[in-house]
Amino acid sequence: MCVLLVNILESFLGECRGHNEGKGQTKFDCPSCSAEKLLDNGDGKGKLEINYRKGVFKCWVCAYKNNMHGPIEKLIKKYGNNHNMRDYLLVKPDNNYEQETYVDKNIHVQLPSEFIALSTCSQYEPQYSFAMTYLKERGIDEEIIREFNIGYTHEGKYRGRVIIPSYDEFGDVNFFVARSYSNYIKPKYLNPEAEKQQIVFNHNKINFDATIYLVEGAFDHIVTPNSIPLLGKIMTYKIKMLLTENAKADIVILLDDDAYVDAVNLYKELDFGELHGRIKICKPPYGHDSSSIHQKLGKRGVIKLLKNSRRLEIEEMF
Ligand SMILES: [Zn+2]
């Protein structure tokens, strides 16, 4: 079935540039933005991603500019013909069945049902001012709250916590971090059960054409431009492959000050093959990470910190 589907897509999109059967994900050159460059065989970049298991597509470059996202039927209507549509409808996965098998393989994370986005809720909601006070103390302003859809709940398991959601490449929730804003609520972090190896936190926000910063936690991520939080000090295989295949500019490793050895190890792991020569390291001052720098010195402090990114000398790597 997978092969048939890919054949149908290839018949009007040209050569498939990548295929992950496990996820049902394929890549093609975008018929909209790559055609603007007037190349006969596409630009070879494979920025149009199609997930036939979910039945959706999205171009990483022009999704919103050229309206290149949505159900696969929309893509076929725009660029295929009636034959393509008929073939597709014949072989397209039966949604219910596919979703069930999908859930078996991956734990499907959803935001708590009681989740309320802070940017949309009334200031008279209970707990609202506690959550806002906590964020303000950490230097998180309303712009960041809106950009990352930060929220909270006033009841249920996650009550008393600030929630930072994470979205996958299609804009679906794939994880969240719930940090308590009261010293009485333990543990500090209560995160959902998930297949951590598969999560790229806020995948949909990554700009692969610009410098990417690898940080440790979600609170570092929301104050560091174009960053990916590793949710720890170790990089998953998935993030490594994503960077190797897509990153076009530098990658800066910015772990907490106490994790410098881990940072150097990551540097050595990434500074290889496609990425060789484009890996840098940024060491925060003693006792700090980008979140605490932001809390103390604001945006400017973070920008100043990022300016210290540098390549390692060979003798520093052993
Ligand atoms: Zn495009």
Side-chain angles (χ1 to χ4, degrees):
M1 181 202 73
C2 305
V3 178
L4 268 176
L5 269 165
V6 173
N7 283 345
I8 296 165
L9 296 171
E10 279 191 321
S11 69
F12 67 98
L13 292 172
E15 195 188 333
C16 177
R17 304 288 185 189
H19 185 190
N20 179 335
E21 275 192 48
K23 293 190 72 187
Q25 198 139 311
T26 56
K27 288 182 196 175
F28 291 87
D29 292 336
C30 174
S32 182
C33 64
S34 115
E36 285 165 2
K37 297 176 192 157
L38 298 174
L39 297 169
D40 282 345
N41 299 317
D43 59 5
K45 290 187 173 166
K47 291 293 183 189
L48 179 76
E49 289 199 353
I50 303 178
N51 189 309
Y52 54 76
R53 183 164 281 154
K54 293 185 177 181
V56 292
F57 76 99
K58 179 175 179 181
C59 172
W60 285 104
V61 178
C62 70
Y64 300 102
K65 190 176 120 214
N66 295 346
N67 192 14
M68 285 297 286
H69 62 106
I72 291 175
E73 285 89 341
K74 173 172 148 188
L75 181 70
I76 301 177
K77 260 188 206 155
K78 223 167 157 182
Y79 295 99
N81 57 33
N82 291 339
H83 288 287
N84 304 138
M85 184 66 89
R86 189 198 58 203
D87 292 348
Y88 172 69
L89 294 176
L90 276 172
V91 297
K92 94 175 215 183
D94 173 350
N95 254 341
N96 293 333
Y97 170 74
E98 280 296 327
Q99 265 167 14
E100 265 171 36
T101 53
Y102 196 63
V103 171
D104 281 347
K105 281 181 221 149
N106 298 290
I107 300 166
H108 184 64
V109 176
Q110 281 180 314
L111 290 178
S113 56
E114 308 90 357
F115 177 85
I116 302 169
L118 282 162
S119 61
T120 62
C121 80
S122 134
Q123 47 185 301
Y124 301 109
E125 293 273 355
Q127 301 287 327
Y128 171 89
S129 57
F130 294 123
M132 287 304 276
T133 305
Y134 173 77
L135 288 171
K136 221 172 254 167
E137 276 170 9
R138 292 197 68 158
I140 313 292
D141 61 17
E142 283 175 21
E143 195 187 327
I144 298 175
I145 290 172
R146 213 174 315 115
E147 187 186 345
F148 291 92
N149 198 31
I150 298 174
Y152 75 117
T153 74
H154 54 82
E155 53 188 10
K157 187 177 170 187
Y158 295 97
R159 183 175 187 269
R161 294 170 182 280
V162 163
I163 296 173
I164 307 177
S166 160
Y167 298 90
D168 68 11
E169 64 267 56
F170 298 103
D172 296 325
V173 170
N174 62 357
F175 196 63
F176 61 85
V177 165
R179 168 67 161 89
S180 73
Y181 47 71
S182 151
N183 288 333
Y184 301 105
I185 296 174
K186 300 264 159 57
K188 255 202 291 191
Y189 286 94
L190 183 64
N191 303 334
E193 206 179 299
E195 188 65 67
K196 267 220 180 165
Q197 296 297 321
Q198 294 303 320
I199 295 162
V200 180
F201 201 95
N202 280 337
H203 189 161
N204 64 343
K205 285 189 183 291
I206 306 168
N207 176 0
F208 290 100
D209 295 320
T211 298
I212 294 170
Y213 294 89
L214 298 180
V215 297
E216 278 191 34
F219 279 91
D220 302 316
H221 162 61
I222 60 176
V223 300
T224 310
N226 205 34
S227 59
I228 305 176
L230 303 177
L231 304 172
K233 301 176 196 300
I234 294 166
M235 183 176 48
T236 61
Y237 179 73
K238 173 147 178 167
I239 292 178
K240 183 180 176 181
M241 289 316 292
L242 191 73
L243 293 172
T244 306
E245 288 173 4
N246 299 287
K248 298 287 176 286
D250 289 347
I251 295 168
V252 178
I253 298 157
L254 169 52
L255 302 188
D256 299 1
D257 150 64
D258 64 3
Y260 190 65
V261 174
D262 300 280
V264 172
N265 283 335
L266 264 181
Y267 181 104
K268 287 192 273 190
E269 193 181 340
L270 282 172
D271 193 33
F272 184 77
E274 283 286 313
L275 299 175
H276 180 67
R278 292 195 276 134
I279 308 302
K280 290 180 176 169
I281 212 159
C282 179
K283 189 177 192 291
Y286 180 75
H288 282 286
D289 53 33
S290 55
S291 164
S292 67
I293 294 282
H294 182 267
Q295 182 172 344
K296 242 182 134 179
L297 303 168
K299 241 185 214 174
R300 279 196 190 162
V302 174
I303 288 167
K304 208 172 151 198
L305 169 69
L306 301 183
K307 282 190 179 147
N308 292 322
S309 306
R310 63 182 186 93
R311 294 276 297 161
L312 287 180
E313 302 293 338
I314 289 179
E315 60 270 22
E316 291 179 277
M317 290 171 47
F318 299 98

